[in-house]
Amino acid sequence: VSGPVKLCIGESATIRATSSDSGISYAWLKDGSDLHTALDSITVSTSGNYSLIVSKAAGCSDTASVQVIVNPLPTATIAPADSIMLSCATPNATLTASGGNSYLWSNGPKSAAIAVSDTGSYSVLVTDSNGCSASSKPVEVRWLRPDVSLSSQTDTTICTDSGAIYVRQIQIQNHLGVSQKVVAHRGASSGFLGIPDTIVLAPNETR
């Protein structure tokens, strides 16, 4: 029997006695209590002092002991813990892991802190000084993109010296409920004028 034996919660190990003698019997104890097994090995998953009494037919006996230590798992955390929203103004963010001595992120890096600019779910595997590992809860990274919908407002006609101009309001509302709008102008017979295919607006910006 060799030791000490160090485990993490959820793990187990087999303790085995070796002897070249024949006609011997085994008795295992944990912290002095009989485990009621006569095998030459036992599987352990809890902390304690395990002893083996080896007896020969002639009446001779010997005892060996081993300490089993079961260490707790680390607590793996990521800061910030809530979902992260990226935007044109803040196109990247930093995720910082804690709770261990080494780190392995779901996207590959092995540092405690990483910079992210891609959407997705990020988690980290944390390993402590005892060699025990645990995974964090995932953090979702998303891009802030507004949902665009045309309002039901009827076109308004404005008469000018150069002719009629129609005004239509396009209502833009993102997932946070922040309203935005753009005012598009078109000539009476030439379609929309000067309105690009893509318009990027800050919250509450009006054009």
Side-chain angles (χ1 to χ4, degrees), residues 7-155:
L7 302 174
C8 303
I9 290 178
E11 295 179 340
S12 62
T14 298
I15 304 174
R16 185 179 302 277
T18 57
S19 175
S20 58
D21 295 336
S22 59
I24 59 177
S25 61
Y26 302 95
W28 291 91
L29 297 89
K30 177 189 176 185
D31 298 328
S33 298
D34 192 353
L35 294 179
H36 303 288
T37 177
L39 300 176
D40 64 349
S41 65
I42 57 172
T43 299
V44 298
S45 59
T46 57
S47 297
N49 186 57
Y50 292 81
S51 301
L52 172 64
I53 301 175
V54 179
S55 301
K56 296 182 180 180
C60 300
S61 64
D62 194 9
T63 302
S65 298
V66 62
Q67 186 73 23
V68 175
I69 302 171
V70 179
N71 294 298
L73 300 180
T75 301
T77 60
I78 298 176
D82 298 326
S83 296
I84 296 175
M85 198 64 60
L86 303 179
S87 66
C88 294
T90 55
N92 53 61
T94 298
L95 301 179
T96 303
S98 61
N101 295 72
S102 64
Y103 305 92
L104 177 61
W105 291 87
S106 55
N107 61 330
K110 297 181 179 180
S111 56
I114 61 171
V116 296
S117 57
D118 295 325
T119 59
S121 179
Y122 293 83
S123 60
V124 64
L125 179 68
V126 170
T127 302
D128 64 16
S129 58
N130 295 315
C132 299
S133 299
S135 294
S136 69
K137 293 181 179 179
V139 170
E140 297 295 330
V141 176
R142 301 185 177 92
W143 266 91
L144 174 62
R145 300 188 186 279
D147 297 323
V148 180
S149 60
L150 291 175
S151 69
S152 59
Q153 179 178 332
T154 305
D155 289 358

Side-chain angles (χ1 to χ4, degrees), residues 189-203:
S189 60
S190 59
F192 286 97
L193 299 177
I195 303 302
D197 292 335
T198 302
I199 301 174
V200 179
L201 299 177

